[in-house]
Amino acid sequence: MSRVNKIKGFFDLFPPESTSYTFMEDKAREVLSRYAYQELRTPILEQTELFARSIGQETDVVQKEMYTFPDRRGRSLTMRPEATAGVIRAYIDSPAASSGNVSRFFTLGPMFRYERPQKGRTRQFHQVNAEMLGEDSPYADAEILSMLWDYLHALGLKKLSLEINSLGCPACRPGFDSKLKAFLAGMDQNVFCEDCQRRTVSNPLRVLDCKAPGCREVASGAPRIVDNLCPECKEHFDRVLAILESFGISFELNPFLVRGLDYYQRTTFEVISNDIGSQSAVAGGGRYDGLVGDLGGPEVPGIGFACGMERLALILQNIQERPLDFYMAVLHQEAMDKAMLMVKRLRGKGYRGEMGFQVRSVKSHLRQANKKNIKTCLLLGLDEMHKNQVQVKDMSTGVQRAVSHDDAEQALGLVFNPRGSSF
Ligand code: HAM
């Protein structure tokens, strides 16, 4: 029979790779909860309109990258390409939106973008996403960046750089857009890539962070949004930077940092790694003060970020799962029931272990335990069974001794507590 292949750009995560993902998720829960964030799980499928209206009709994500299809009744649905839009839709649907309180949510899970797969870029990828709604203070921006930084440090990642920019607000951005449009219109249009020839009119800001060489060259001489902020945006941005400095978080101002999603205003940022090739952004985010209102909710400001777990996994040092506490080796079929009961009791006490269901030689059982890096092997044969005993073997020293069934648990405890070890 022929096999069914998995879809291009989609991956199975086996251990030990899946262990890195568990590690990233556990650390996210640990660090983000210190900042009062709570988990929000939203559906993977949303109405297509949600993304078109939030991410922006003109963006690559909406134009080229969404998994969109009609359901059985012909309604257009899309597999979430990011978490922010769904979180805000859910927030607007909830009592939180009208409470007047600040809401803090994190979301972990898969996102889907039909991009050309390459190192650090997949069609199903996973994000650690955080959103704070209801606060426009620069302290909120600094807090969310501090949380992102703490998270990355908790993963053991220190060789990363933070790039930051401000994109202004509805008061100063239109003026800047016109200035930039006029500047871009004055250029030889042939130097722009195909997309940017369109963007110079439809979305001039995006020309600034295009990676095509011609566009880059033009961008380097273009007006900078940070020099064109209104007094309120400038004060806000200066405060954010001053607080970051006081936290000891170093950053680089990047006036070309625009981000690929259209909802951003004011503070925007990316975290870059130089160790993973061209897809170097391991996290990105920013403020989106108009978005909740644009999606039909109250005029509530917001800010957030998302880390790409596939990219973080590329730089994480070998994450190993803690080995199992014991391996139960059964040496005679008649001892199987007894062994099973003992294993059940140990698991009930919180020990983690594996049991081989086939009767094998001691050597073959030990090889099995060794392969899995298990430090203690319990051996149960006929002799032990009749004496109500079990052999406990410390795999690191090779020392083995018989203990009564009732003492097996204590023996395991001794093996794990090196100071208490009598082996
Ligand atoms: P984004 O920059 O589109 O922002 O994605 C965030 C991160 O997701 C990227 O920095 C990258 O690490 C990862 N990522 C994106 N696309 C892929 C892909 N195809 N393969 C692997 N990793 C990928 C957002 O998604 C915003 N929603 C972030 C945000 C939250 N802004 C405010 N709140």
Side-chain angles (χ1 to χ4, degrees), residues 61 81-85 113 115 120-127 129-131 259-261 263-264 270-271 281-288 303-311:
V61 173
E82 55 120 43
T84 311
R113 294 186 194 173
E115 293 189 85
R121 190 159 76 188
T122 52
R123 289 181 173 173
Q124 175 174 331
F125 59 98
H126 300 78
Q127 287 186 342
N129 183 88
E131 312 290 355
R259 312 266 304 122
L261 315 162
Y263 48 61
Y264 292 112
E270 276 184 359
V271 178
V282 295
R287 187 161 272 295
Y288 46 79
I303 182 165
F305 67 75
C307 299
M309 293 171 75
E310 278 65 18
R311 295 186 193 171

Side-chain angles (χ1 to χ4, degrees), residues 86-209:
V87 168
I88 290 172
R89 196 239 348 105
Y91 168 78
I92 294 170
D93 283 349
S94 77
S98 50
S99 69
N101 298 329
V102 177
S103 299
R104 294 174 169 88
F105 298 115
F106 71 87
T107 300
L108 311 175
M111 311 292 153
F112 305 86
R113 294 186 194 173
Y114 193 88
E115 293 189 85
R116 192 170 50 78
Q118 62 179 95
K119 183 179 173 191
R121 190 159 76 188
T122 52
R123 289 181 173 173
Q124 175 174 331
F125 59 98
H126 300 78
Q127 287 186 342
V128 171
N129 183 88
E131 312 290 355
M132 186 197 301
L133 293 145
E135 184 57 77
D136 64 3
S137 157
Y139 286 95
D141 303 39
E143 186 190 76
I144 211 156
L145 281 161
S146 156
M147 179 169 82
L148 172 58
W149 221 231
D150 278 2
Y151 174 56
L152 295 168
H153 277 216
L155 297 179
L157 307 178
K158 303 215 164 123
K159 270 175 54 197
L160 298 169
S161 47
L162 171 64
E163 299 190 354
I164 191 163
N165 193 18
S166 174
L167 296 181
C169 69
C172 49
R173 178 91 147 263
F176 177 73
D177 275 349
S178 309
K179 198 168 174 176
L180 185 59
K181 251 186 210 170
F183 171 83
L184 297 173
M187 295 287 140
D188 172 3
Q189 296 304 295
N190 294 321
V191 300
F192 297 115
C193 72
E194 204 179 307
D195 283 336
C196 284
Q197 291 190 4
R198 198 168 26 86
R199 289 178 185 143
T200 53
V201 183
S202 62
N203 198 355
L205 216 55
R206 288 283 290 142
V207 179
L208 295 183
D209 79 348

Side-chain angles (χ1 to χ4, degrees), residues 348-360:
K349 299 278 182 185
Y351 290 104
R352 299 153 60 247
E354 178 178 326
M355 171 161 167
F357 296 121
Q358 301 300 324
V359 173
R360 296 189 197 177

